[in-house]
Amino acid sequence: MGESLHAERAAVARRLVAAGVFAARHEAGPGSETERWCVEDFDAAAAEVGAELGVSRFRAGADMSRGLTLVQRLPRLARRFLAGEVDLRVIATIDTRTTLVQDPGVLAELDARLAEAAPRWNALSREKLTEIVDWLVVELDPEAKRVARDRHDDRHVEITPGEHGLSEIHGRLSAVDGAALDKRLDAIAATVCRDDPRTTAQRRVDGLVALSERRETLDCRCGQNECPASGNRATLPSRRRR
């Protein structure tokens, strides 16, 4: 099992790094033939990657963004990832929480520390992992904390048509609000019985729809006349006023 896990991590790392290299090669420079295209180079490259992998352009773009982080910003961490020593969940958190670091010297020091420590973070919870990475960023680059306050004004949610009758959601909200929404979706997803055929991920999506309809429960799809989850309500976390 250990060997399989390392091989799986390394395979994912190779895919992301390849996507990052592909994206870097397609970046338009001054005077390039694609400079006047109506479609940005990144989007055009994402369409190619999506077609090759059989995934949506949005998912391909996410792979490319993480790959660019590894190739251009955190090459030492990328080597540990390629060796199968770091889980994708850790890489994704690092990618999200270190975007504000721009100083090359600080970025190099951050890369060195992450490469040293990240292999020990695979078993950490999402909350603990986020806390550790944030403290490391603030320690090395206090200016990133100020930029984070400025980024707060960049909150947004976009819903665009996807494939096969689906839609894709992308956006940004504060860390506090994001954590609260995450817990709410988990709570609503848990209001059905164990025989509900949906996966947790599918129930979280249905929970988001339920929230938009001001509901705090899901209709169980177990098919039983007397579902043991009948009457369940989500135990939602309280929110402090800000």
Side-chain angles (χ1 to χ4, degrees):
M1 287 187 290
E3 292 177 356
S4 297
L5 180 59
H6 276 74
E8 177 185 334
R9 290 170 177 166
V12 173
R14 288 195 298 271
R15 188 187 82 237
L16 295 186
V17 168
V21 171
F22 187 82
R25 290 176 178 173
H26 282 69
E27 288 182 340
S32 68
E33 63 176 295
T34 61
E35 188 177 14
R36 296 179 180 271
W37 281 14
C38 61
V39 178
E40 293 185 0
D41 292 82
F42 187 90
D43 290 334
E48 291 187 54
V49 173
E52 173 65 23
L53 300 181
V55 300
S56 69
R57 179 172 55 85
F58 176 78
R59 181 177 171 187
D63 280 1
M64 290 165 53
S65 294
R66 288 175 181 168
L68 282 171
T69 295
L70 292 168
V71 172
Q72 297 181 339
R73 293 167 54 84
L74 304 173
R76 295 186 183 181
L77 177 63
R79 287 194 287 271
R80 303 301 294 267
F81 190 26
L82 286 166
E85 299 175 10
V86 185
D87 193 77
L88 174 61
R89 185 176 61 91
V90 177
I91 296 296
T93 300
I94 291 173
D95 177 38
T96 302
R97 311 304 294 189
T98 61
T99 55
L100 299 179
V101 180
Q102 299 298 326
D103 182 89
V106 174
L107 195 58
E109 176 65 19
L110 179 64
D111 185 24
R113 293 204 190 185
L114 289 171
E116 174 67 25
R120 301 193 299 271
W121 294 346
N122 293 318
L124 296 179
S125 67
R126 182 190 308 174
E127 292 78 10
K128 187 63 176 178
L129 179 59
T130 299
E131 180 184 356
I132 289 178
V133 176
D134 284 352
W135 274 111
L136 182 58
V137 169
V138 172
E139 177 188 348
L140 295 177
D141 189 4
E143 178 66 9
K145 190 173 183 179
R146 183 194 63 80
V147 176
R149 290 196 297 268
D150 295 341
R151 282 285 185 92
H152 186 72
D153 293 334
D154 191 30
R155 303 185 310 281
H156 67 278
V157 174
E158 299 175 3
I159 303 177
T160 58
E163 300 175 347
H164 310 298
L166 300 176
S167 296
E168 296 182 352
I169 300 177
H170 178 260
R172 179 180 290 118
L173 65 165
S174 73
V176 173
D177 291 336
L181 177 60
D182 187 49
K183 291 179 180 179
R184 278 178 172 261
L185 294 180
D186 281 342
I188 294 176
T191 58
V192 299
C193 78
R194 61 186 300 176
D195 293 323
D196 187 284
R198 291 168 291 183
T199 65
T200 300
Q202 291 168 343
R203 296 198 308 272
R204 280 170 57 89
V205 172
D206 293 343
L208 185 61
V209 176
L211 280 177
S212 71
E213 298 172 349
R214 299 184 179 181
R215 293 187 290 115
E216 298 179 356
T217 62
L218 295 179
D219 294 329
C220 189
R221 298 180 182 177
C222 65
Q224 303 178 64
N225 292 329
E226 296 184 4
C227 174
S230 178
N232 280 0
R233 293 179 63 85
T235 303
L236 300 176
S238 60
R239 292 291 306 278
R240 291 184 300 175
R241 294 184 181 275
R242 292 172 293 166

